[in-house]
Every structure is written in C-alpha cells, then in structure tokens.
Amino acid sequence: MQKVDYIIQADYVLPMDDRLTVIHDGAVAVKGTNILEVGTSKEILNKYTSDSILRREESVVFPGLMNTHTHAAMVYFRGMADDLPLKEWLENHIWPAENKWLGPDFISDSVGLACLEMLKGGVTAYNDMYFYGDAAGKATKRMGMRAVLGVGILDFPSKSAGTIDEYFANAESFIKGWKGDSLITPCIAPHALYTCGPETLKRARHVADTYDIPIHIHLSETRWEVEEITNKYHMTPVEYLDSLGFLDKKVLAAHCVWLTDHEIQILAQRGVGVSHCIESNLKLASGIAPVVKMLNAGVKVTFGTDGAASNNDLNILSEMSTAAKLHKAVSGDPTALNAQTALLMATRWGAEVLGLGEVTGSLEKGKAADLIIVNLKKPHLTPIYNIYSHIVYSMRPSDIEMVMVDGKLVVNDGELLTADESEILSKAKNWSKKILEDCG
Amino acid sequence: MQKVDYIIQADYVLPMDDRLTVIHDGAVAVKGTNILEVGTSKEILNKYTSDSILRREESVVFPGLMNTHTHAAMVYFRGMADDLPLKEWLENHIWPAENKWLGPDFISDSVGLACLEMLKGGVTAYNDMYFYGDAAGKATKRMGMRAVLGVGILDFPSKSAGTIDEYFANAESFIKGWKGDSLITPCIAPHALYTCGPETLKRARHVADTYDIPIHIHLSETRWEVEEITNKYHMTPVEYLDSLGFLDKKVLAAHCVWLTDHEIQILAQRGVGVSHCIESNLKLASGIAPVVKMLNAGVKVTFGTDGAASNNDLNILSEMSTAAKLHKAVSGDPTALNAQTALLMATRWGAEVLGLGEVTGSLEKGKAADLIIVNLKKPHLTPIYNIYSHIVYSMRPSDIEMVMVDGKLVVNDGELLTADESEILSKAKNWSKKILEDCG
C-alpha cells in the first residue's frame, strides 16, 4: 500500500480521456501536485492509502474547467454599462474607467475577486489579456489558481505604456519574471488586428518564438473589424495573419465570429486554438461564431467568458450550456455539439489550446491534480440518466463542492480556502464606491 | 402602528410597477395573503409593526418569477434522451416512457420535484400542460406554489383518455373541481394544431368561455408544424386559429418560433400572450422566435422553461438571461431586450398572460405576497452598479434565499419549508431506477 496525499472518491469519475470513459464508483489518487492513478474505488483503495480520503455521496469528479479568454480584472466593471451599443459602451464607459482606475492595486484586488468567482465555479485555469501582469500573476498565485497571463500590446498609448517599445519592454520583463512558474504561464497578447499593425504583430510573434510561449489575440469579433481589415489589407483577417506567418498552434484566437470557410480551413491547417465567447458575443450583438463548422473542420474550439463587463459573469458551466444548445438551433441539427463534446471543449481541449495539454485538462497519471467534485444531490440534477447531460445542460456553479488545483484544495464545501472571501468582497465594494462617486 | 404578519426589508425593492421604480432601502408589509404596502423602510416601519421582520443585508426583493410554459412532471425524464433528432426523441423515448409510467402517483411525486426546483429558483407560479390534473393540483398546493394547470387534450388516445369525449370529460371535471381555488387555476389545454382538429379546438374554446378560464396551447414550435398546417388549411397557423375565432387574451401560446409579420400583427391585435421557451427551442433545434419583433408589435412575450426533458431544468433566471443576450445578437442591436424589459417579462407580464394580472406579478397593495429575497453578497454579483443588470445577466438560483407565495414563506435560507427535500429526491431516485430497469 502506497501512501498518497489524497484519495478522491465519487459515484462517477470522468477522466475526459480519448475514450470518454465513465468510471462508476471511481477514485483518483493524488500525491504532491500530481495525479498518481485514476480507476475504480476498488482498484485505487487496493493500492493506495491516505489520511485524506475525500468521499462524497452522489457526486461526480471531472477535470477543472478552462476559461480560455477573459479580462479578469474587469469584474470591477461588471454591470457598469449594459444594453448599450458597443462604441458607446467602450468609448464612454469602459475606456474612461480603465484610464482612470487601472494600476497594480486595482488589478491585484480585482483579479482576486475574479479568481474567487472562477474557482467557486469550477474553473481551475484561465487565459487572460490585460495590463499589469505582475500584479495579476501574484494575485492569481495567491488564490492558488492556474493561469496563462498576457500583457496586452497596442499601437497607441494607454495607462500602462506610452509607446510600442514600452509595451514590449513591459511584456518581456513580465515573461522573464514568470517563465517556469508552476501556476502562471506568461504569454504575449497583441490586442487585435485593428489595434496592432503588421510590424507589432510580427514583433509579438518573434517574442513568442524567442521565449517559446503562447500568443493570445482577439480575432474577427465584429463585422466592423472584418470590413476594416479587409479594406486595409485586401485580405480577410485570418488570411492576413497567415500572410504574416503569425498562425500556428501557439496561437489562441478569441471570438472568431465572422469567418469564411477558407479562413476556417486555415485555422484548422495551422492548428490555431479558438476561444468561443458566446455570451459576450450575444450580449454585445457581435454575432454567432460558426462553431459547428469549425469543429467539423477540425479546429479546437474552447470556451471563454470574455470580461465580466460584457457577459456579466465568469461562469464556464453557463457558456458551455448556452453554446451546446445554441449551436443545435443555429445548425438546425439537434445532434450537433453533444454533451460529451461540450465537456471535452471545456476541459482537455481548453488546456491543449493554452499549451497546457501535458500539464492539465484531463485526469491522467502524471498530470497535475486540477479537478472538481460536484454534488449531484440537487433537485435540478435529479434523477440521473446520463452524467454528461447533467453536467452540460443542468449543472450550476453552486453544485460544485470541492476544487483542487495542482494538488491543493482551494475550495471545500463550496468555501474558498486560500483567502478571505468577505475581505475580497469588501475591497470590491470600496473600489466601486470610488468609481461610482467619480461617475456622479 | 398597525400590526402585520411580515415586514420584508432589503437594500433594493423592485415593485415592477409601470415606472419600474427602484426603492433603495425598501420594505414590504404583508398581512394574511396580501401585500398591504410597499415603500421605503422608513415609511413602512413608521406605519407597521410585526413579529417577523425579515431583514437581509445586501439583498434585493422583487416579484416571484413566472414560468409560463412547462410540463412539470417531465422532470422525471430529465436527461433521459438528449442530443437526438426530435422525432427519435419523442417516438422512441418520451412517448413510450409516458405511456408506460404516467398515472396519478407518478404525477404527484414528479410534480413535487418540479415545484421544489422551481420554488428554490424563485418561481412562484407556473403554467402547465400535462395529464392527471388532480394529482398535479394537489402536489402543487401541498408545496405552497401557485399554478395554472391545463389537462392536455388530443385527438388520439393516450394513457389518460381513450376518446376526445373522455379528454373533455376529464378536463371539465378537473375545471369544476378546482375553479375558485386560491392557488390553482384550472385551464383548458388543447395540445397543438397538429394534434387537435378544428372541432376539438372550437370545443376547447367553448369550454374556456363557459368557465371563464385560460387556454394553453403549443403554437408554431417547429417548421414542420407550420408546413403541415399550412398545407392542410391553406392558412398559416395563427391565421387558421384566428379563422376559428380561437384567439383572444385568454390564450397563452407557447413557443411561437415560426411567425410571419402578419401573424405577429394578429397576436398583437387579439392580445394573445406568448411563452418564449428559448432554451428548449435551441436544444431541440426548433429555431429562434422573433421576440424583438413581437415586443415591438406590442405582443406580451413571457418566459417558459418547457419540460425538463428538453431543457434540462426549470430555471427562469437562466431563460431570461439567455433570451436577453441572444435577441441582441439575433436582432443585431445590443440595446434590444434590455434588463428592465426582461425582468418585466419574467414577472408582471407573466402573471398577466396567465390571467393572474390582478392577483400577482408585481409588488402592489392588494396583490398576493408572491415575492423573493435574493442575497447580493456573492462574488458574481459584486460590485453593484445596476440592480436590474445583475438580476438578468448574473443572478443564479442559488442566490435566492427566501421565497414567499400567497403570504406564506415556502423557502427560507435557501431551504424548502413545505416538504422534506430529501424525501422528494429519494422518490425521484426510486422512480428513475424502475424506469432505467425497464429501458435495460
């Protein structure tokens, strides 16, 4: 009998392996940061022993959810300006607020709130594009969460940098400071094609190659953007990026709402990962991405919440549920995007498109123990005929009882263990009071 | 000082009156089944006293949510058959299960589970179409919930009746038995145009007039249905119903996915209420109803979950959120279906289309005390800039702490008071075990 740190038992264990195995009365053995073995309870309890056997009645264990596109700090602008045209929303509300308030303290506190919300919602890793990466990295690490963090790069000045060189200097310093960290992966995040010229894009690509890190970019979110780029470069956005040699499997492209079939082919051929942000795309009236077409072409589509100012939460269960239903109607095919595929997109594929496929995203020997236990003894999860259906179509964040990241329990009995929730909420209240006074 | 049964205080009280008033630090005085007065805490506490002052820190009070179309008992088939074509889903899974299992005991137990789920999700009234109305009525009343219940009528035999006359006899006996009940309103529910011929529809209309009760019908849910009816009667479904003299404000039409502009005009002119079941329509790939067009034409559109076998839950908060986001993208207008309108549709309009506009749906003097208190001290509801935004775009059933129906507390601290939740869940498990054994 080998002693391990945790044995986690549940009625259902879903490793999200290639065969989409469902282990009934299953267990996971965890030692240090890693998964040692996954199997039936009988198999695991015959080989391992632990002082911490986490056994939940009527529960399911599966890999932590991946939020592949967000701007975590924007939780502090949640609901500040809704039901507005995009231009008014950005120019009259979001940008002025950002220019006024952004800074390391704001980021540190707001990222704490975002991580709290995501961890309680079963998200164990997120991919971010924003500013003040050091503050975001420290706050995320303090909360015990995994993240890929990209410091945003723009061709015009913002509060965080005055020149393109300064943006890149900030980014490189952030990358050097965090490369090799166990939880935080630095990446490079040129904002979009309409805010970064070709030289900036190529330079960002060069940085990604130099440091062997992922690239995070907004792509074809709105019709306006596609027209703008097509008029300027006489190519569609994806064709244009491809002509710069920008695209390969290092690239995570967020949104991808307006794509031609040719562009979908390019994304598939280059192995570009896509973050589908359906709730944000709907709420800002950006449009509906051709997800079924992308999946059929072999593009790895995953789920992102976008920032909470345009969503208005960081709830991947809800993104998955909305997407799985919506794309049936959009494609006219009730068998499209089935529950198993949706959960694969939210877990293993999410990790893979972030370059974390070797580290997390499925419950397999040697991978980090990033997983969640969900309580199934709930009216809206009763009765049970198909566990995948319940996760995708009925489960809610409040059903999540336990969250483990890198072998450490960060949420237990639905409560955060790594920080004081009340304090995080108080800080948010204080910041919003200042922001509101300023608006008034 | 007048003594009342309850004084309910909250940071925000939203009466959902014509002016969409927001009362900061507000209160509601409740005596017996009714609301006596709504105002600021100061106003209410100056006039009333109570042994039960329900004061929640950081909370909002608003009218209970209305689920205007469901088949409550189908919670027992939740997730039984997903990701399937509609025909296969109905003919190979749902109908055989119904024919095998339906009966008063099944209905009584399953409706208990549905009411539990809805009450905990802030739904204080629902509109149902199914069979064995007596069992459904008793179960609903036992749970302390309000409902409009319609016994389904079909032109062909089912387990509950062998002939059209028997369907009508069942319906009339149910109507006579429940007419005048404080919580249960009987209605008549001819299933749809493709399952009820013109004589059946006219007869149902006659019953509605005779007893002065609402009519509940499925209408234009799928393209197939519209083609079928148009081919048969050489009119579109709404035109055909109108030609029968069927349509007026007594009628609640569920789905209304495929409508011409002319049909929308007819619905508006006749004052027909519509139940928009977006999650079911998406999941079954039925299509997306022209909600913004209907609203612009003056049709009262409300929210329904449909049955849990096609949704897969009875969560009106989620229907409201999905609809408010989706119709922005579908109409290309991010200002469409704003948060205030969405909450109005989910509350006051819901009551109005069910013929309960005088009884419930808003917090006004003399109306029944059907209301919910929601805890705002949650990460995903922090910070707060606009309370309507938070309710529509971020709120979850688990945020609901207290639910009152007809002046009685039915949920407190998130726990059901009117029945034993564990027992309801156990019963469901036992039924599903039998159903599964039968499938195997």
Side-chain angles (χ1 to χ4, degrees):
Chain A
M1 296 286 272
Q2 185 180 349
K3 184 134 186 197
V4 295
D5 294 314
Y6 291 101
I7 294 175
I8 298 153
Q9 278 186 276
D11 290 343
Y12 305 85
V13 173
L14 309 179
M16 300 312 289
D17 54 9
D18 281 331
R19 299 187 330 184
L20 293 171
T21 313
V22 177
I23 307 174
H24 292 268
D25 191 5
V28 183
V30 175
K31 193 172 168 83
T33 58
N34 286 3
I35 293 167
L36 217 55
E37 195 167 338
V38 181
T40 63
S41 281
K42 208 177 153 193
E43 287 165 353
I44 297 298
L45 293 171
N46 276 339
K47 285 177 71 174
Y48 302 98
T49 174
S50 175
D51 295 334
S52 299
I53 297 186
L54 306 176
R55 164 89 203 143
R56 287 284 192 292
E57 234 198 319
E58 298 188 43
S59 61
V60 56
V61 170
F62 54 95
L65 303 167
M66 305 281 142
N67 183 355
T68 60
H69 177 65
T70 189
H71 314 285
M74 293 185 84
V75 286
Y76 271 16
F77 304 135
R78 184 201 313 275
M80 195 177 70
D82 287 325
D83 304 327
L84 293 172
L86 184 66
K87 205 171 137 73
E88 190 186 336
W89 175 76
L90 258 181
E91 294 179 8
N92 299 347
H93 297 271
I94 298 303
W95 284 346
E98 288 184 341
N99 279 325
K100 169 94 188 184
W101 294 107
L102 257 50
D105 287 348
F106 179 98
I107 298 295
S108 176
D109 291 345
S110 57
V111 166
L113 176 63
C115 290
L116 167 65
E117 182 185 346
M118 286 193 276
L119 286 173
K120 288 184 93 170
V123 177
T124 54
Y126 73 101
N127 183 34
D128 203 74
M129 180 195 292
Y130 217 54
F131 305 102
Y132 305 99
D134 270 334
K138 281 179 203 159
T140 304
K141 214 172 153 69
R142 209 160 43 226
M143 298 291 285
M145 193 169 178
R146 195 180 297 284
V148 177
L149 301 178
V151 178
I153 288 177
L154 302 161
D155 273 352
F156 51 86
S158 72
K159 216 186 163 198
S160 71
T163 63
I164 298 181
D165 284 344
E166 199 183 343
Y167 279 112
F168 275 100
N170 286 347
E172 288 205 55
S173 140
F174 172 70
I175 293 162
K176 285 178 191 158
W178 290 88
K179 183 95 172 113
D181 187 85
S182 60
L183 288 175
I184 308 298
T185 305
C187 83
I188 184 105
H191 173 265
L193 275 59
Y194 59 97
T195 47
C196 297
E199 290 315 309
T200 305
L201 293 170
K202 283 192 274 188
R203 192 166 162 187
R205 175 72 232 186
H206 181 71
V207 171
D209 291 333
T210 306
Y211 295 96
D212 190 23
I213 53 166
I215 308 180
H216 184 184
I217 190 165
H218 293 109
L219 183 59
S220 298
E221 179 176 2
T222 64
R223 241 185 209 159
W224 167 87
E225 174 189 342
V226 173
E227 280 166 19
E228 188 85 355
I229 297 304
T230 311
N231 286 339
K232 198 161 176 181
Y233 301 108
H234 310 292
M235 286 178 274
T236 60
V238 175
E239 289 164 354
Y240 163 63
L241 275 185
D242 201 36
S243 76
L244 297 178
F246 190 90
L247 298 176
D248 70 1
K249 64 183 174 38
K250 274 192 163 49
V251 178
L252 186 285
H255 301 298
C256 296
V257 174
W258 299 99
L259 298 177
T260 63
D261 289 351
H262 182 230
E263 287 180 290
I264 293 174
Q265 283 307 323
I266 296 173
L267 293 177
Q269 280 161 8
R270 302 289 178 245
V272 173
V274 168
S275 179
H276 177 45
C277 304
I278 187 60
E279 295 191 5
S280 168
N281 295 157
L282 294 177
K283 183 157 171 286
L284 296 174
S286 303
I288 297 171
V291 167
V292 173
K293 274 192 181 181
M294 284 194 268
L295 292 174
N296 288 343
V299 177
K300 276 207 173 108
V301 183
T302 64
F303 299 117
T305 57
D306 208 351
S310 57
N311 186 317
N312 293 346
D313 59 14
L314 307 178
N315 178 355
I316 287 292
L317 281 176
S318 162
E319 299 289 332
M320 177 167 68
S321 181
T322 301
K325 289 174 197 146
L326 177 63
H327 292 293
K328 291 173 172 58
V330 169
S331 66
D333 175 6
T335 70
L337 224 178
N338 66 31
Q340 283 91 333
T341 304
L343 190 59
L344 198 58
M345 293 161 70
T347 56
R348 202 176 81 206
W349 287 9
E352 285 171 2
V353 300
L354 299 181
L356 297 173
E358 303 289 307
V359 178
T360 184
S362 62
L363 307 183
E364 292 177 80
K365 189 186 164 112
K367 281 201 179 180
D370 292 0
L371 52 85
I372 58 186
I373 300 190
V374 184
N375 182 350
L376 296 168
K377 207 175 172 180
K378 298 287 179 105
H380 58 278
L381 299 174
T382 301
I384 301 177
Y385 298 101
N386 178 325
I387 186 65
Y388 285 106
S389 264
H390 271 32
I391 294 170
V392 173
Y393 300 121
S394 310
M395 197 167 276
R396 302 168 187 168
S398 52
D399 306 329
I400 294 168
E401 295 227 323
M402 200 217 72
V403 180
M404 181 174 274
V405 181
D406 217 32
K408 278 163 211 71
L409 266 188
V410 290
V411 170
N412 200 16
D413 293 326
E415 298 298 324
L416 185 78
L417 301 178
T418 50
D420 178 350
E421 174 164 338
S422 296
E423 202 183 306
I424 293 172
L425 298 183
S426 291
K427 278 183 185 167
K429 236 178 147 172
N430 291 338
W431 276 103
S432 72
K433 220 175 275 176
K434 286 194 274 182
I435 294 170
L436 270 174
E437 277 164 19
D438 183 60
C439 293
Chain B
M1 297 284 272
Q2 186 181 348
K3 184 131 186 198
V4 295
D5 293 314
Y6 290 101
I7 294 175
I8 298 153
Q9 278 186 277
D11 291 342
Y12 305 85
V13 173
L14 308 179
M16 299 314 288
D17 53 10
D18 280 331
R19 299 186 330 181
L20 292 171
T21 313
V22 176
I23 306 174
H24 292 268
D25 192 4
V28 183
V30 176
K31 194 171 167 82
T33 58
N34 285 4
I35 293 168
L36 218 55
E37 195 168 339
V38 181
T40 63
S41 281
K42 210 178 150 190
E43 287 164 354
I44 298 298
L45 293 171
N46 275 339
K47 285 177 72 174
Y48 304 97
T49 175
S50 175
D51 295 335
S52 298
I53 298 187
L54 306 176
R55 164 87 202 146
R56 286 285 193 290
E57 234 198 318
E58 300 188 41
S59 61
V60 56
V61 170
F62 54 95
L65 303 168
M66 304 281 141
N67 184 356
T68 60
H69 177 65
T70 190
H71 313 286
M74 293 184 85
V75 286
Y76 272 15
F77 303 135
R78 185 201 312 274
M80 195 177 72
D82 288 324
D83 303 327
L84 293 173
L86 184 65
K87 206 171 136 71
E88 190 185 335
W89 175 77
L90 258 182
E91 295 179 7
N92 298 347
H93 297 272
I94 298 302
W95 285 346
E98 287 184 342
N99 280 326
K100 169 95 189 186
W101 296 106
L102 257 48
D105 288 347
F106 179 97
I107 297 293
S108 176
D109 291 345
S110 58
V111 167
L113 176 63
C115 291
L116 166 66
E117 182 185 346
M118 286 192 276
L119 287 173
K120 289 185 93 171
V123 177
T124 53
Y126 73 100
N127 183 34
D128 203 74
M129 180 194 292
Y130 217 55
F131 305 103
Y132 305 98
D134 270 333
K138 281 180 203 158
T140 303
K141 215 172 152 69
R142 209 159 45 226
M143 297 291 285
M145 194 169 178
R146 195 180 296 285
V148 178
L149 300 179
V151 178
I153 289 177
L154 302 161
D155 274 352
F156 50 86
S158 71
K159 214 185 165 195
S160 70
T163 64
I164 299 181
D165 284 343
E166 197 183 344
Y167 280 111
F168 275 100
N170 287 346
E172 290 205 55
S173 140
F174 172 70
I175 293 162
K176 286 179 191 157
W178 290 88
K179 183 94 171 112
D181 187 85
S182 59
L183 288 175
I184 308 298
T185 305
C187 83
I188 183 106
H191 173 266
L193 276 60
Y194 59 95
T195 46
C196 297
E199 290 316 310
T200 305
L201 292 170
K202 282 191 273 187
R203 191 166 164 187
R205 176 72 231 187
H206 181 70
V207 171
D209 291 332
T210 306
Y211 296 96
D212 190 23
I213 53 165
I215 309 181
H216 184 184
I217 190 165
H218 292 109
L219 183 58
S220 297
E221 179 177 2
T222 65
R223 240 185 208 159
W224 167 87
E225 173 188 343
V226 173
E227 280 165 20
E228 188 85 357
I229 297 304
T230 310
N231 286 339
K232 197 161 179 182
Y233 301 108
H234 310 291
M235 285 178 274
T236 60
V238 175
E239 289 164 356
Y240 163 63
L241 274 186
D242 201 38
S243 77
L244 298 178
F246 190 89
L247 297 176
D248 70 0
K249 64 184 172 40
K250 274 193 163 52
V251 178
L252 186 284
H255 301 298
C256 294
V257 174
W258 298 99
L259 298 177
T260 63
D261 289 351
H262 181 231
E263 288 181 289
I264 293 174
Q265 282 308 323
I266 296 173
L267 293 177
Q269 281 160 8
R270 302 290 179 245
V272 173
V274 168
S275 181
H276 178 45
C277 304
I278 187 61
E279 295 191 4
S280 167
N281 296 157
L282 294 177
K283 184 158 171 284
L284 296 174
S286 303
I288 297 171
V291 167
V292 172
K293 275 192 181 181
M294 284 194 267
L295 292 174
N296 288 342
V299 177
K300 277 209 173 107
V301 183
T302 64
F303 298 117
T305 57
D306 207 354
S310 58
N311 186 318
N312 292 347
D313 58 16
L314 307 178
N315 178 356
I316 287 292
L317 281 176
S318 161
E319 299 288 333
M320 176 167 69
S321 181
T322 301
K325 290 174 198 147
L326 177 63
H327 292 292
K328 291 173 172 59
V330 168
S331 65
D333 175 6
T335 71
L337 224 178
N338 66 30
Q340 282 92 334
T341 304
L343 190 59
L344 198 59
M345 292 160 71
T347 56
R348 203 176 80 207
W349 289 9
E352 286 172 3
V353 300
L354 299 181
L356 297 172
E358 304 288 308
V359 178
T360 185
S362 61
L363 307 183
E364 292 178 79
K365 189 184 163 114
K367 281 200 178 180
D370 292 0
L371 53 84
I372 58 186
I373 300 190
V374 184
N375 182 349
L376 296 168
K377 207 176 171 180
K378 298 286 179 107
H380 59 278
L381 299 174
T382 301
I384 302 178
Y385 299 100
N386 178 324
I387 186 64
Y388 285 107
S389 264
H390 271 33
I391 294 170
V392 174
Y393 300 121
S394 310
M395 198 167 274
R396 302 167 187 169
S398 51
D399 306 329
I400 295 168
E401 294 227 323
M402 202 216 71
V403 180
M404 181 174 275
V405 181
D406 217 31
K408 278 163 212 75
L409 267 188
V410 289
V411 170
N412 201 15
D413 294 326
E415 297 299 323
L416 185 79
L417 302 178
T418 50
D420 179 349
E421 175 166 338
S422 296
E423 201 182 307
I424 294 172
L425 298 184
S426 290
K427 278 182 184 167
K429 237 178 144 171
N430 290 339
W431 277 103
S432 71
K433 220 175 277 174
K434 286 194 275 182
I435 294 170
L436 269 174
E437 276 164 17
D438 184 59
C439 293

